[in-house]
Amino acid sequence: MSTATAAPPSPAPPTTVATVRTREWTHVLGAALRTPRGRVGFGLTIVVVAVAALGPAFAPHSATSFVTTPFAPPSGKFPLGGDVLGRDVLSRLLDGGWQLLLIAAAATALGVVLGAIAGISAAYLRGAPDTLIMRVVDVILAFPQLVFALLLVSVIGPKLWLLVVAVGLSHAPQVARVIRSTALDVSERDFVKAVEILGTPRRRVMAKEILPNLVTPLMVETGLRMTYSIVIIAGLSFIGFGIQPPAPDWGLMINENRIGLSENPWAVVAPAALIALLTIGLNTFTDAVARVALGVDRAEQAVVGERIGGAELPAGMASE
Amino acid sequence: MTPRPEPAHQDLSGLAARASVSQLTVRTTGSALSVVEDVSLEVGAGEILGIVGESGSGKTTLGLALLAHARRGLRIAGGSVRLDGTNLLELSPGELRRLRGAALAYVPQDPGTALNPALRIGTQLEEVLAAHGRGREVRERVAEVLTEVGLPMTPELLAAYPHQLSGGQQQRVTLAIAFACRPSLIVLDEPTTGLDVTTQRRVLDTVRELCRTYRVAAVYISHDVVVVSTLADRVAVVYAGRVIELGNTEAVFNTPAHPYTIGLLDAVPSPTETRTLRGMAGIPPRPGRWPQGCAFADRCPHVLPECRDELPALFEASPGHSARCVLVEAGRPGRQATPRGGVDAPTASADFRPVGAGAPLLELRRVTAAYGARAVLHDIELAVPERACLAVVGESGSGKTTLARCISGLHSRWQGEVCFAGERLPTGVRGRSVAARRGLQYVFQNPYASLNPRRTVGGLVAQPLEEFERVSAAERLERVVEALRSAALPPEVLERYPDQLSGGERQRVAIARALVLGPRLLICDEITSALDVSVQAAVVELLRHLQHERGLAMLFITHNLALVRSIAQDVVVMQQGRIVESGSVADVLDHPTHPYTQRLLEDVPEEAPAAGHAAAGRA
C-alpha cells in the first residue's frame, strides 16, 4: 500500500499517550490579553484586586479603632478623612475588599460548578432529567437574584457561609441555562456517539467528552457571574444582610457613611468607585474573552485555517 | 521568474469572450497570504467553463472574484475582471450593486441557507425582479422564470416557504432567481453537491439548457470531476490557487497533461467497471501556504529538481489545451489516451471471494425501526458473511444511516432480530456484551465531527482500549501506534489534535480508533462522502487492504453507486426504508431488475469522454 500520508516531521517521538487538551483556556486568555479591550479590562481588575489583596498590609490604622472625629474631612494624617464613627476611611477601604472578593469568588465557583453540572446533565440525559432540572431552574429564575439571596439570608440569618451558598445558588440556574444550550449542540456531535458506541458510562461521557468542549463558554460565564456576585454581595452588605459591622466592607461603608455625604464625600465615593471599577474591569475583560472565543476578531485567520478552537471545514461538506 | 506566458487562447468558435479575468490575485487582508494567484480565464457567451478543484484549492474564492467579490478577510489584490469590456474592479460599490443580480448572478452550494427562511418563494422572486427595475411585468416574469427552471407556477408554490420545498426544488428556485434578470455572467458554486443523483441530473440539465438558450457565460465550480465533464465546454483545473490545466473538456479528460489531473481522474470510481482506485500521495498545501515552484512537486510521481525552484508556465499540450508542467514543455504529456489505471486489475474487489465465507457474521431478520411515529425501516433482512463486504446503497432519506445506527445500538427503538457472531443483540448498546461491543466497530460519515477536538490523536485512538482493557502505558502506546500504522498513519501524528490534520488524515484516525480493538466487523457510514475524490480513493484502498489482509468484514453504506464496485462483493439497494434489490455487485449493477435500481444507475453521471473506455470495459 503506497498511500501513506506524508506528515511534517515531529521534533521528538512521543513516549506517552496524551489524553485531553488542556491548553485551550490559556490560549483564549492570552488572545484576549492581546486585544485593547482585554488589556483595559484586565488592568482595571488587577488594580482593584491588588488594593483588596495587598491593602490590609498597608493600612495605616486599625480598621475598627476610632482615631479621628466623625466625618472629618481629608487631612495629612487621614488622606480620605473619617467615617461615621470617626474611623480612618483609607484604612477601612484598604482592609474592606478582600472579604468581599473571597466571598464573591467562592459564590461564583459554587454557582458555576452547580450550574455546569445541571446544564450538562440536562442536555445530555434529555427526557425526564432534563425536564426536572429545567423546571427547577425556571422556578428559581422566577425570583430576582437579589430577592432570592435575601430570602435565604433573612430566614437563616447573616452568616458568611450562607452568603456564599445563597449567592452561588442564585447563579446556578442562569449558568445552567447557558451551558445547557451549548451542551445540547455538543451532545449531538458524532464524537460523543463514537464513545457511546463503546458502552462508556454516561458520567464519563459528560466529564471527558462534553465538558472539555465547554471551556470557553464556562470562562465567559465565570467572568460574568463574578461581576454579579460582587454587585449582589456589596448590595446585601449595603442593606445590612451581608458582611456585618464593625467589619470593614465596601458595600457596608457606602451605607454607613451616606448620611455624611456632604461633610466627607470620600467615605462613600471611594468604596463606590472601587466596586464600580472592579465590575467594569471584569465585565470588559469577560467581553474580550467572549469576542476572542467567538472568533469575531479573527476573521482573517479563519479564512486561512488558523483558528484555535474549531477546524476549517472543507468547501464540499454537505451532510446528508 | 519565468517570462509570463500568454494565456492560451481558446478558439471560442465565433463566440466573443463575454467575461474574462487576467492575472487575478486574491490575498488575505492582514498578512497578504496568497489564496488565488495570477489566474487568467475567459468565458464566452453561451459557454460553460468548469472549474475543478479539491477543497482548499481556492476555487470558491476564484468564483467569487469573478463577480468582483471577496469574502471577509480577503481582498482582490491585483488583475482585472472584465464583463463585456468593463473592468468590474474599477466600478464604484454602487455601480457594482446595480450589476449584481442583474448582469452578474451567483448560485450558491446550499440552497437551504441561500433562501430566506422567513419569506415566501413568490416574495423572494419578486424582490429580485423589482430590485432591478422590472416592476411592472413582475407577475408574468415570475411565471416565466419558474417555468424555465421546471417548476409549476402554482399559487401553492409561490406561497410556500423554503423549508416546505425539497432540496432539488430549493435549488431550482435559486436558479430561477439567478436567471431572472437575464445575467451576462453566472457563477454556480457546487449547486448539486447536496442533491441525490436523480435530482442532480435534472438540475444539471436545466442549467445547461438555460445557459445555451440565453447565451449566458457560465462558470461551474465543482469538486466532482464527473459532473464537470458532463456539463462543461471547457475546464480549468485549479490546484493551490492557480490554474494548472486548462482546455476543452474532451482534451483535458481524455488526454490529461498535468500529473495532478491524471491523479484526480485515476481516483474517480466508475459505476460501470471495477477499478482499483489510486489515491494520491501526500496532502495538498493549505490556502495561503503555497510552496515555491510547482505546488504539486511534493506529491508528483514525475518530479524533477527544477520543479521546486521555478513555477512552470502554462505550456500548450495541444491546440486549445495547456498545462502548467515542465513535462508538457519537454513535449512529454503525462498520458496520451492510455486506458484508465487499474481497470480489471486482478485484485479488483468483485473477483475477490473471501475464503471460508458462508456462515454469516452479521444477520438481520425483519428489522423495523421508527423515529417517533414515523417508520423509517420496514422488514430489513440482510446478511454479511465473514470477511466479506456488503454495500448498502440508497439516496438520502432511504434509511441507510438509521439501519447502521440500529445495528450498532446507537438507535435503540427497533424491533426484529440482529445476530452478530451467533449472538442475538439487545437493541441498545448499553445492554450488549463486551464481545459484541468490541467486535462491531463504527466509522462515522464526517471526520470533522466524529473526533473530539480536545483530544490528541493518541488519546482518541486509545479511548476504546481504556474502555475495555487495563493495559500498561507502554503497551497502550504500542497498540495505538500499531492501529495508526494499520490506517497508514505515521506515529508522528500521536500528539496532534484533529484540527491540525487534513480531512483524509482525520478519517484515518477514526478508522484507527475502530481498529485498535481488533474488530470483526466494521460499519462504515458514508465515510468518504465528506472527502475529496483523491482522498476517497486512498481510504477505499485502505479498507480493501484491511479486508484482504485482516479478514475484516464490512458493512459499507454509501449513496455513491460508483464506489460500490471498487469495494464490495455484495450489495443491497434501499428505497424508503425497504430493501428493493440485493445480490452480488456484478449481478445487481450489470443487470438491475428493480426499476429503482435501474433509474439510479441511469442517473449516475458518467464521464462523457471516458465513455469509450467504459464501453470497452463492458464488452
Side-chain angles (χ1 to χ4, degrees):
Chain A
M1 192 167 38
S2 62
T3 50
T5 319
S10 115
T15 49
T16 55
V17 177
T19 50
V20 177
R21 180 176 236 169
T22 49
R23 54 197 170 87
E24 167 94 4
W25 66 277
T26 47
H27 257 302
V28 173
L29 279 188
L33 276 179
R34 282 190 291 276
T35 63
R37 190 185 298 263
R39 284 198 186 128
V40 169
F42 188 73
L44 285 176
T45 312
I46 275 298
V47 165
V48 181
V49 169
V51 167
L54 307 175
F58 294 97
H61 305 278
S62 156
T64 47
S65 50
F66 313 110
V67 288
T68 180
T69 50
F71 297 124
S75 61
K77 203 175 169 204
F78 306 105
L80 294 177
D83 77 348
V84 63
L85 298 175
R87 294 168 295 197
D88 177 31
V89 170
L90 179 65
S91 303
R92 283 181 71 78
L93 198 68
L94 290 173
D95 209 11
W98 61 272
Q99 223 177 347
L100 170 69
L101 281 189
L102 275 187
I103 295 172
T108 307
L110 180 71
V112 170
V113 169
L114 284 180
I117 292 174
I120 294 175
S121 310
Y124 181 65
L125 300 176
R126 296 283 184 89
D130 186 17
T131 313
L132 184 72
I133 292 171
M134 292 326 284
R135 293 302 78 79
V136 171
V137 160
D138 286 344
V139 170
I140 304 180
L141 277 178
F143 298 91
Q145 267 194 295
L146 191 64
V147 175
F148 180 80
L150 262 179
L151 187 82
L152 287 181
V153 176
S154 60
V155 171
I156 305 177
K159 300 190 170 61
L160 287 189
W161 65 265
L162 184 67
L163 219 52
V164 171
V165 171
V167 176
L169 273 184
S170 76
H171 282 326
Q174 326 230 9
V175 178
R177 275 232 160 145
V178 174
I179 294 304
R180 176 177 173 270
S181 66
T182 322
L184 269 178
D185 175 48
V186 177
S187 310
E188 281 303 301
R189 307 268 293 274
D190 279 348
F191 64 78
V192 175
K193 300 210 163 61
V195 179
E196 282 174 356
I197 223 164
L198 301 168
T200 308
R202 290 187 177 88
R203 210 186 321 152
R204 205 173 329 151
V205 175
M206 290 191 269
K208 290 221 168 159
E209 303 301 318
I210 298 178
L211 181 63
N213 284 286
L214 299 174
V215 169
T216 36
L218 278 172
M219 283 168 64
V220 173
E221 265 314 286
T222 307
L224 267 182
R225 294 300 142 203
M226 184 68 190
T227 318
Y228 287 124
S229 292
I230 292 163
V231 172
I232 292 172
I233 290 165
L236 283 173
S237 299
F238 176 85
I239 51 181
F241 285 93
I243 295 157
Q244 295 299 304
D249 173 81
W250 295 344
L252 192 60
M253 283 171 75
I254 298 173
N255 186 25
E256 286 172 340
N257 301 330
R258 73 200 145 92
I259 46 168
L261 194 61
S262 52
E263 286 108 300
N264 181 15
W266 289 110
V268 173
V269 171
L274 282 178
I275 293 174
L277 286 182
L278 179 60
T279 48
I280 291 170
L282 257 177
N283 230 329
T284 312
F285 184 63
T286 307
D287 191 35
V289 170
R291 277 162 184 264
V292 169
L294 281 174
V296 171
D297 301 326
R298 293 184 300 162
E300 184 197 324
Q301 280 117 316
V303 170
V304 290
E306 275 183 4
R307 293 183 49 197
I308 296 169
E312 172 201 21
L313 287 176
M317 285 254 327
S319 57
E320 197 184 332
Chain B
M1 191 75 196
T2 44
R4 178 161 282 141
E6 277 295 300
H9 271 286
Q10 303 300 318
D11 175 25
L12 295 172
S13 47
L15 303 174
R18 264 205 121 151
S20 66
V21 295
S22 66
Q23 296 168 20
L24 186 72
T25 297
V26 183
R27 295 181 190 280
T28 56
T29 43
S31 29
L33 301 169
S34 154
V35 178
V36 167
E37 187 74 38
D38 190 20
V39 169
S40 302
L41 293 168
E42 358 188 276
V43 202
E47 187 188 34
I48 302 177
L49 170 72
I51 295 185
V52 182
E54 296 188 287
S55 47
S57 61
K59 59 184 188 304
T60 294
T61 306
L62 173 58
L64 290 170
L66 291 176
L67 303 172
H69 176 74
R71 276 179 291 177
R72 220 181 131 178
L74 296 173
R75 68 192 169 82
I76 299 176
S80 65
V81 180
R82 289 184 186 279
L83 180 72
D84 295 328
T86 323
N87 187 350
L88 299 181
L89 299 181
E90 285 163 3
L91 296 182
S92 71
E95 289 169 317
L96 253 183
R97 197 177 315 127
R98 277 191 290 281
L99 279 182
R100 288 198 178 123
L104 299 172
Y106 179 69
V107 179
Q109 176 177 340
D110 182 1
T113 54
L115 296 172
N116 186 336
L119 293 184
R120 296 175 193 278
I121 299 299
T123 318
Q124 306 201 33
L125 282 164
E126 283 164 21
E127 241 180 8
V128 187
L129 291 165
H132 295 285
R134 309 210 180 193
R136 257 170 250 153
E137 357 123 45
V138 161
R139 273 276 145 190
E140 301 119 69
R141 288 285 294 128
V142 165
E144 205 179 317
V145 296
L146 281 178
T147 323
E148 280 168 8
V149 297
L151 287 171
M153 163 71 177
T154 56
E156 291 81 44
L157 178 74
L158 293 180
Y161 289 98
H163 72 266
Q164 295 168 317
L165 305 182
S166 70
Q169 286 173 319
Q170 288 180 355
Q171 196 56 283
R172 279 168 196 280
V173 173
T174 61
L175 279 177
I177 291 175
F179 279 96
C181 294
R182 301 277 170 264
S184 314
L185 171 67
I186 185 164
V187 173
L188 303 115
D189 189 358
E190 308 232 18
T192 63
T193 296
L195 306 177
D196 288 326
V197 277
T198 310
T199 323
Q200 163 170 300
R201 187 178 142 148
R202 293 203 196 111
V203 170
L204 289 178
D205 288 343
T206 310
V207 168
R208 191 182 298 125
E209 208 180 296
L210 286 173
C211 292
R212 295 276 185 272
T213 315
Y214 298 108
R215 301 185 55 73
V216 181
V219 174
Y220 191 96
I221 301 168
S222 182
H223 69 281
D224 192 330
V225 182
V226 183
V227 165
V228 170
S229 77
T230 58
L231 186 70
D233 303 303
R234 283 191 306 134
V235 178
V237 182
V238 179
Y239 186 79
R242 289 178 191 270
V243 171
I244 54 126
E245 185 154 0
L246 178 69
N248 297 322
T249 306
E250 209 153 294
V252 171
F253 288 110
N254 276 341
T255 55
H258 197 284
Y260 173 71
T261 316
I262 297 171
L264 205 58
L265 290 173
D266 278 347
V268 177
S270 156
T272 50
E273 62 192 18
T274 304
R275 223 177 244 180
T276 307
L277 304 183
R278 292 202 195 127
M280 271 180 257
I283 54 169
R286 306 191 86 171
R289 303 263 183 272
W290 315 136
Q292 233 201 325
C294 174
F296 190 63
D298 285 340
R299 305 171 70 191
C300 184
H302 315 291
V303 64
L304 300 170
E306 62 257 40
C307 292
R308 295 181 203 274
D309 303 333
E310 230 169 64
L311 180 74
L314 267 175
F315 296 107
E316 197 162 79
S318 60
H321 177 199
S322 50
R324 206 178 271 283
C325 180
V326 289
L327 292 175
V328 178
E329 183 190 24
R332 287 166 43 208
R335 191 168 74 197
Q336 282 287 8
T338 48
R340 301 292 292 272
V343 176
D344 293 327
T347 52
S349 255
D351 305 334
F352 172 80
R353 272 289 144 192
V355 194
L361 178 64
L362 177 78
E363 204 172 3
L364 270 67
R365 278 184 225 107
R366 301 187 66 80
V367 171
T368 301
Y371 274 121
R374 198 166 56 92
V376 233
L377 294 179
H378 309 273
D379 286 339
I380 298 293
E381 308 239 343
L382 57 81
V384 185
E386 294 261 14
R387 308 160 65 89
C389 176
L390 171 73
V392 179
V393 181
E395 294 183 293
S396 51
S398 62
K400 51 194 194 303
T401 290
T402 307
L403 176 64
R405 303 219 154 169
C406 290
I407 297 171
S408 66
L410 273 178
H411 183 64
S412 56
R413 294 195 45 211
W414 51 270
Q415 295 90 42
E417 213 176 300
V418 174
C419 291
F420 175 70
E423 180 191 344
R424 189 172 165 178
L425 297 182
T427 53
V429 70
R430 288 180 203 282
R432 294 188 178 177
S433 69
V434 171
R437 279 185 283 149
R438 292 188 57 146
L440 201 156
Q441 293 288 319
Y442 198 105
V443 183
F444 289 82
Q445 172 177 12
N446 183 351
Y448 293 84
S450 67
L451 303 177
N452 190 339
R454 302 286 174 268
R455 280 175 183 270
T456 60
V457 168
L460 285 162
V461 178
Q463 258 175 323
L465 278 181
E466 284 160 15
E467 201 57 52
F468 291 107
E469 291 178 29
R470 290 192 177 276
V471 291
S472 68
E475 194 194 335
R476 184 169 63 174
L477 178 68
E478 193 183 308
R479 303 256 308 256
V480 167
V481 170
E482 176 55 37
L484 287 173
R485 191 171 297 130
S486 311
L489 282 170
E492 281 81 27
V493 300
L494 267 179
E495 299 207 314
R496 305 258 187 93
Y497 289 98
D499 55 13
Q500 294 167 304
L501 303 176
S502 71
E505 287 171 324
R506 289 183 208 210
Q507 199 56 290
R508 285 168 193 278
V509 172
I511 292 172
R513 173 173 64 186
L515 290 178
V516 73
L517 291 170
R520 301 176 69 183
L521 177 79
L522 209 56
I523 300 176
C524 303
D525 182 10
E526 296 263 22
I527 67 169
T528 61
S529 66
L531 306 175
D532 285 319
V533 275
S534 66
V535 182
Q536 163 175 292
V539 168
V540 166
E541 264 317 286
L542 169 68
L543 291 179
R544 273 168 46 116
H545 179 80
L546 288 169
Q547 190 200 354
H548 291 219
E549 301 296 312
R550 287 197 171 197
L552 190 62
M554 268 182 276
L555 188 73
F556 191 86
I557 294 170
T558 181
H559 68 275
N560 187 347
L561 264 172
L563 211 50
V564 169
R565 282 213 196 246
S566 298
I567 179 112
Q569 290 86 46
D570 296 315
V571 62
V572 297
V573 181
M574 284 183 73
Q575 183 194 20
Q576 291 171 4
R578 291 175 207 278
I579 290 181
V580 295
E581 185 155 3
S582 62
S584 77
V585 168
D587 285 349
V588 173
L589 265 54
D590 290 340
H591 314 288
T593 54
H594 194 276
Y596 179 72
T597 318
Q598 289 166 350
R599 206 193 78 215
L600 271 186
L601 278 163
E602 272 166 27
D603 289 336
V604 173
E606 258 187 73
E607 303 152 72
H613 301 309
R618 265 196 297 266

